[in-house]
Amino acid sequence: MRPNVLKEAMHQLRTITTTQLLFSSPPAILRQPPPSQFYSHHHHHQRSMATMSSNDSNLDAIFEQKRLLRSKVRKQLKAMNTTQRSQQDAAIQNSVLESSWFKSSERLCAYVSCSALREVDTSKILSDILCDQEKEGGGLIRKKLYVPRVEDKNSYMRMLNISTTEDLIANSMNILEPSPVDCDGNQRQDVMDSNTPVDLILLPGLAFDRSGRRLGRSGGYYDMFLKRYQELSMERKWKLPLLVALAYDLQILDDGAIPVAPHDIPVDALVSPTGVIPITPAAKERM
């Protein structure tokens, strides 16, 4: 075989293999013929290329739908007046603070809200958790709190333990995050390194529907973190934490309005200004 023909064939093989790894389930990958059979399976791979381009166009369509939906919801959030926002913030946070599932949680992850991003406020929830930690006795459950720190632009986010709001510092985007080391110079505990599971994760998002679909801000940070935490939980045979998203009224859309990509992770429940919406059996059991 002439060198340039061989080079082209090997390039085709690499392209196909990479695409199958991205879009096939593991059993499908195992069924692919080994490289030595490539030339006798030319037609098989032509079919694979067709499947690959259909997967590509499906994903492209999903990303485009998400982009348009993000743009629409962002405009609606910007149009909310401050009175309306603060009323909904208070109602949502009170619903969380008064709930049995929140009161009984011992270890949780929660986001630190950013007003510029029009995220539902969590300052009252966080101060409630951190103030309880400072109280002596009183029979209250001392909660262990982990909050997000974005480490890079490749969707890598860690959840680090804090014990006071003074542990938070503004990053380059002016979003409050935990410093990687505490005031004594010790590394903060990462939730992935803890020997005990968290029982609750409070999530932000741009939009949700009543079947639990979540539209994030396109960074993929929460999907990546939740996938890693689910894998850790399964490895250690832990019960999965309850995933609860906080949402303004306008952020809760009709079922099916949010397109879903393979990596998207649904939430167990929503908390809106009108109350808690449990979705999954796990949420209905605990709420």
Side-chain angles (χ1 to χ4, degrees):
M1 188 178 274
R2 294 196 307 279
N4 59 339
V5 176
L6 178 61
K7 190 175 174 184
E8 175 60 23
M10 291 308 290
H11 173 72
Q12 271 187 301
L13 175 61
R14 275 197 300 274
T15 308
I16 292 160
T17 308
T18 307
T19 308
Q20 284 163 350
L21 282 171
L22 284 171
F23 295 113
S24 299
S25 60
I29 294 167
L30 295 174
R31 287 196 299 273
Q32 301 308 329
S36 60
Q37 296 174 33
F38 171 71
Y39 304 107
S40 61
H41 286 269
H42 181 64
H43 295 297
H44 166 88
H45 285 302
Q46 278 188 321
R47 285 199 302 275
S48 291
M49 293 291 277
T51 310
M52 167 185 118
S53 60
S54 107
N55 274 327
D56 273 350
S57 59
N58 286 349
L59 279 177
D60 285 347
I62 287 169
F63 290 136
E64 180 59 14
Q65 281 176 282
K66 285 187 171 189
R67 191 187 66 76
L68 293 169
L69 196 52
R70 282 189 185 102
S71 173
K72 182 184 167 188
V73 175
R74 280 196 180 104
K75 279 180 189 154
Q76 290 175 332
L77 283 170
K78 277 188 180 168
M80 275 180 90
N81 66 47
T82 48
T83 311
Q84 194 184 13
R85 258 183 75 196
S86 60
Q87 282 171 348
Q88 294 200 21
D89 281 334
I92 292 165
Q93 290 185 97
N94 288 339
S95 268
V96 172
L97 293 169
E98 288 161 13
S99 69
S100 58
W101 49 268
F102 174 77
K103 287 176 181 172
S104 64
S105 70
E106 296 180 36
R107 291 168 298 277
L108 72 156
C109 297
Y111 70 97
V112 182
S113 55
C114 172
S115 184
L117 291 176
R118 307 292 200 276
E119 289 176 330
V120 172
D121 188 20
T122 54
S123 57
K124 196 174 171 186
I125 296 168
L126 299 184
S127 62
D128 183 88
I129 296 166
L130 297 170
C131 286
D132 276 358
Q133 288 189 358
E134 289 159 19
K135 289 174 189 169
E136 291 299 321
L140 286 160
I141 295 171
R142 287 167 64 97
K143 298 184 193 304
K144 190 162 191 178
L145 174 66
Y146 298 88
V147 294
R149 179 181 170 84
V150 169
E151 295 293 353
D152 62 32
K153 289 192 168 64
N154 301 317
S155 304
Y156 181 47
M157 175 179 82
R158 294 198 296 155
M159 288 279 182
L160 303 180
N161 177 227
I162 63 165
S163 49
T164 165
T165 50
E166 286 165 23
D167 293 341
L168 298 170
I169 49 173
N171 67 11
S172 58
M173 305 278 291
N174 215 26
I175 296 169
L176 292 172
E177 292 186 321
S179 54
V181 293
D182 63 22
C183 53
D184 299 323
N186 300 315
Q187 290 285 329
R188 291 191 188 284
Q189 188 187 51
D190 187 317
V191 76
M192 300 296 290
D193 300 327
S194 172
N195 292 322
T196 44
V198 293
D199 42 32
L200 174 65
I201 300 180
L202 295 179
L203 301 156
L206 260 182
F208 309 89
D209 74 11
R210 288 170 187 271
S211 63
R213 293 178 176 191
R214 173 182 174 272
L215 180 74
R217 293 179 181 273
S218 83
Y221 291 99
Y222 274 91
D223 285 318
M224 182 78 82
F225 166 74
L226 293 172
K227 182 174 180 288
R228 284 167 55 231
Y229 199 79
Q230 284 182 353
E231 284 166 0
L232 177 72
S233 299
M234 285 163 78
E235 242 171 66
R236 300 201 173 179
K237 298 181 170 57
W238 286 343
K239 188 177 178 180
L240 289 171
L242 204 59
L243 306 182
V244 180
L246 310 186
Y248 295 124
D249 283 331
L250 71 84
Q251 292 177 294
I252 300 173
L253 311 180
D254 293 337
D255 275 1
I258 298 173
V260 176
H263 62 270
D264 293 338
I265 292 178
V267 298
D268 292 303
L270 301 172
V271 184
S272 79
T274 48
V276 179
I277 306 164
I279 296 162
T280 62
K284 286 169 183 167
E285 185 191 315
R286 276 182 65 181
M287 294 174 150

